[in-house]
Amino acid sequence: MSKTLHNGLEILELLTRHPHGLNTTDIAIGIGVHRTVAHRLIRTLEAHRLCRRDDRKQIYLGAGLVTLAEPVEQDLRELARAVLEELADSLESTTHLVVREGAAEVRALIVTPPRSARPHISFRPGQVDPINRGSAGLAMLAALPAQDGERAEVARARQRGFAVTVGEVTPSITGISAVVPHRRAESLISIGVSVFDSSNEEELGEAVIAAAQQLADLLR
């Protein structure tokens, strides 16, 4: 095994657990190498856009990782897009596919507005949110074994098959999400809808469950 490559990958894994960044000394301590070695590894990762630093010399994961990840997620994107478009048009609302991003966060991979002219919610793909806020993250937590101290909304989502939150990601907006079944814990994904009016909550929940199952069947 290449020790240098191993240390470089350890830096990326360490930064994944610290989204607010680390300095060079923190990284050196975190992977157990001398600060000079850490500095050299970081410079190499920067050259490949796999990490970046701000004006405070804090180091973060870089945009080059998105380019590397793109082919891995391409099949998922292609299969999910048609499912999301059909759901968005049938509900006349914005739909989204969200993926688990480590233990504590989720990321919006695809956001699909309805093709109708009806007013709808808009937000950009790539948005990262805590896994314990918003319907997408709660739907994923509900797919995991129950934990002491978990939110009541997670337990309710486990019973209903879909999670509902109001104003947790976007003010005044209701999110309704269901996890795509037959996925490993570390690769959970969810399909959801963002709406202004949640008076037909059960109907919306059944729709996202059906879409999530449809995508699961395609992925299998």
Side-chain angles (χ1 to χ4, degrees):
M1 186 171 67
S2 167
K3 186 170 181 57
T4 301
L5 179 57
H6 174 72
N7 287 339
L9 294 174
E10 279 192 314
I11 290 176
L12 297 179
E13 292 171 353
L14 183 64
L15 292 174
T16 299
R17 300 192 296 272
H18 295 84
H20 300 297
L22 295 170
N23 60 37
T24 302
T25 300
D26 293 332
I27 290 174
I29 294 171
I31 67 170
V33 300
H34 191 276
R35 192 179 186 281
T36 303
V37 175
H39 175 77
R40 196 161 56 239
L41 290 166
I42 292 164
R43 284 297 188 190
T44 303
L45 293 171
E46 283 184 293
H48 290 274
R49 297 173 51 246
L50 300 181
C51 71
R52 60 183 177 84
R53 72 179 74 213
D54 63 15
D55 53 8
R56 297 180 298 114
K57 298 186 178 180
Q58 289 287 106
I59 297 149
Y60 307 81
L61 292 175
L65 290 166
V66 177
T67 303
L68 291 177
E70 185 73 23
V72 177
E73 295 176 336
Q74 193 60 39
D75 287 346
L76 174 60
R77 290 174 190 268
E78 291 176 357
L79 291 172
R81 201 170 300 280
V83 175
L84 290 173
E85 287 175 353
E86 181 181 349
L87 183 64
D89 290 341
S90 67
L91 300 180
E92 297 186 311
S93 300
T94 297
T95 57
H96 39 79
L97 182 83
V98 176
V99 298
R100 188 176 185 184
E101 192 93 330
E105 294 179 321
V106 297
R107 174 168 58 92
L109 184 63
I110 307 174
V111 178
T112 305
R115 284 175 282 199
S116 66
R118 180 176 174 176
H120 58 272
I121 295 98
S122 179
F123 59 96
R124 293 184 299 175
Q127 178 174 313
V128 176
D129 295 296
I131 197 169
N132 62 351
R133 291 189 62 80
S135 64
L138 297 193
M140 294 182 196
L141 291 176
L144 301 174
Q147 300 289 321
D148 291 338
E150 70 180 10
R151 294 180 57 182
E153 291 87 348
V154 175
R156 190 172 186 219
R158 195 174 286 117
Q159 294 175 340
R160 304 172 81 187
F162 62 92
V164 180
T165 59
V166 181
E168 292 197 1
V169 173
T170 305
S172 304
I173 299 303
T174 297
I176 300 176
S177 298
V179 76
V180 175
H182 314 303
R183 305 281 297 183
R184 296 190 305 274
E186 66 274 11
S187 60
L188 289 172
I189 56 180
S190 70
I191 283 181
V193 61
S194 297
V195 296
F196 297 104
D197 179 13
S198 61
S199 57
N200 55 342
E201 187 177 289
E202 291 295 333
E203 180 182 335
L204 293 170
E206 290 174 4
V208 296
I209 289 173
Q213 182 61 60
Q214 182 183 356
L215 179 57
D217 292 341
L218 291 172
L219 291 171
R220 293 173 72 185

